[in-house]
Amino acid sequence: MRIKFAKEGIMRFIGHLDMMRYFQKAFRRSGIDIQYSQGYSPHQLISFAAPLGVGLTSTGEYMDIVMGECPSSEELVRRINEQMVEGVRILSAVALPDDSKNAMSIVTTADYRINFRENMAPDFDLAAAIESFMAQDEIIVTKKTKKSEKTMDIKPMIHCFRAEGDGCFMNVATGSTQNLKPEQVMATLYQFMGREFDGFTIYIHRAETYGPDFKTLESYGSRIE
């Protein structure tokens, strides 16, 4: 089963490993027939699509779980939601074909919405700045690791970037093959405009996560009636 869920409010400060433990306990309490691995240290068969950074909210999170007997999608969502705390909501559940790849292996892009904290919007025309920023032939950034630095062109990883409402929207590469953080895009935009970027000034919300050809991860399965 592929489960879609939202992570909002105060829960945005809970890290990925703690979220894994949280769901393991919630699944046990819900009484659903989740399957376990074999061996000396059995664990629930759960895998997450793309871990969400601490401080970000989302209505486009996914996990895959292996089940024995499975109720209807509606019943499964209800039973798990009864165990959820404020800030976490199960949005849907679909059954995957037996030959499906897990969510983590097929993630390619994600939609993000960026909003600014009160009185912390940029002092430049955001729409015009993004248009000029994306008109560049290359967008070169320097990524630092513990051992080295490397420069790379992130423009091919930005599939869409535009002003929207009081903030902006972007679709960027996400996953194990390529992964571009929205904070990196915003920091590079500010640098392009000759401004210093402070990550505290923005709220980041992941709206949806996609596989190849911009198919939502939910669309790979079907509801159980």
Side-chain angles (χ1 to χ4, degrees):
M1 297 295 292
R2 179 159 293 161
I3 308 294
K4 182 179 183 180
F5 67 97
K7 183 182 178 186
E8 301 166 306
I10 197 70
M11 289 299 287
R12 70 184 185 275
F13 298 115
I14 304 300
H16 177 62
L17 293 179
D18 285 326
M19 286 299 295
M20 290 179 64
R21 287 188 282 265
Y22 164 75
F23 273 111
Q24 289 167 1
K25 293 177 181 178
F27 290 150
R28 284 199 297 269
R29 290 170 180 160
S30 70
I32 65 173
D33 188 17
I34 190 165
Q35 299 295 287
Y36 286 75
S37 64
Q38 303 298 309
Y40 293 104
S41 182
H43 59 271
Q44 294 178 6
L45 294 174
I46 306 171
S47 62
F48 287 77
L52 189 68
V54 174
L56 279 65
T57 59
S58 177
T59 48
E61 297 305 286
Y62 290 89
M63 74 177 90
D64 292 344
I65 64 174
V66 179
M67 297 187 64
E69 283 192 36
C70 185
S72 67
S73 293
E74 182 179 354
E75 174 70 6
L76 182 61
V77 169
R78 183 190 66 77
R79 287 173 62 178
I80 301 174
N81 267 333
E82 287 177 348
Q83 308 303 322
M84 295 293 99
V85 297
E86 183 179 351
V88 183
R89 292 181 293 125
I90 305 301
L91 303 176
S92 69
V94 295
L96 298 172
D98 290 339
D99 60 352
S100 293
K101 295 181 179 180
N102 66 43
M104 181 182 296
S105 68
I106 63 172
V107 170
T108 56
T109 68
D111 289 341
Y112 293 92
R113 290 192 171 86
I114 314 294
N115 289 305
F116 297 95
R117 292 178 183 270
E118 189 174 356
N119 299 321
M120 291 188 177
D123 61 354
F124 51 83
D125 184 325
L126 186 61
I130 292 175
E131 185 176 349
S132 298
F133 178 72
M134 292 302 296
Q136 300 176 95
D137 293 331
E138 296 179 317
I139 302 175
I140 303 298
V141 301
T142 301
K143 282 200 168 185
K144 295 182 180 180
T145 64
K146 291 181 179 179
K147 296 182 179 180
S148 64
E149 292 185 0
K150 67 174 183 178
T151 59
M152 60 186 299
D153 178 15
I154 64 170
K155 187 174 181 181
M157 301 167 69
I158 306 173
H159 303 288
C160 178
F161 189 21
R162 64 174 184 264
E164 186 175 270
D166 295 330
C168 56
F169 166 89
M170 67 178 75
N171 176 277
V172 296
T174 303
S176 55
T177 304
Q178 289 186 316
N179 192 66
L180 181 60
K181 294 182 178 181
E183 304 97 308
Q184 175 78 73
V185 178
M186 294 302 291
T188 310
L189 170 67
Y190 272 62
Q191 185 180 31
F192 173 74
M193 295 300 295
R195 306 293 197 279
E196 188 171 335
F197 175 69
D198 181 354
F200 179 76
T201 63
I202 61 173
Y203 293 109
I204 303 175
H205 178 82
R206 181 150 70 190
E208 188 54 272
T209 309
Y210 301 93
D213 301 320
F214 298 98
K215 288 180 62 177
T216 66
L217 298 189
E218 186 179 22
S219 68
Y220 287 82
S222 56
R223 284 176 53 83
I224 298 177
E225 301 298 337

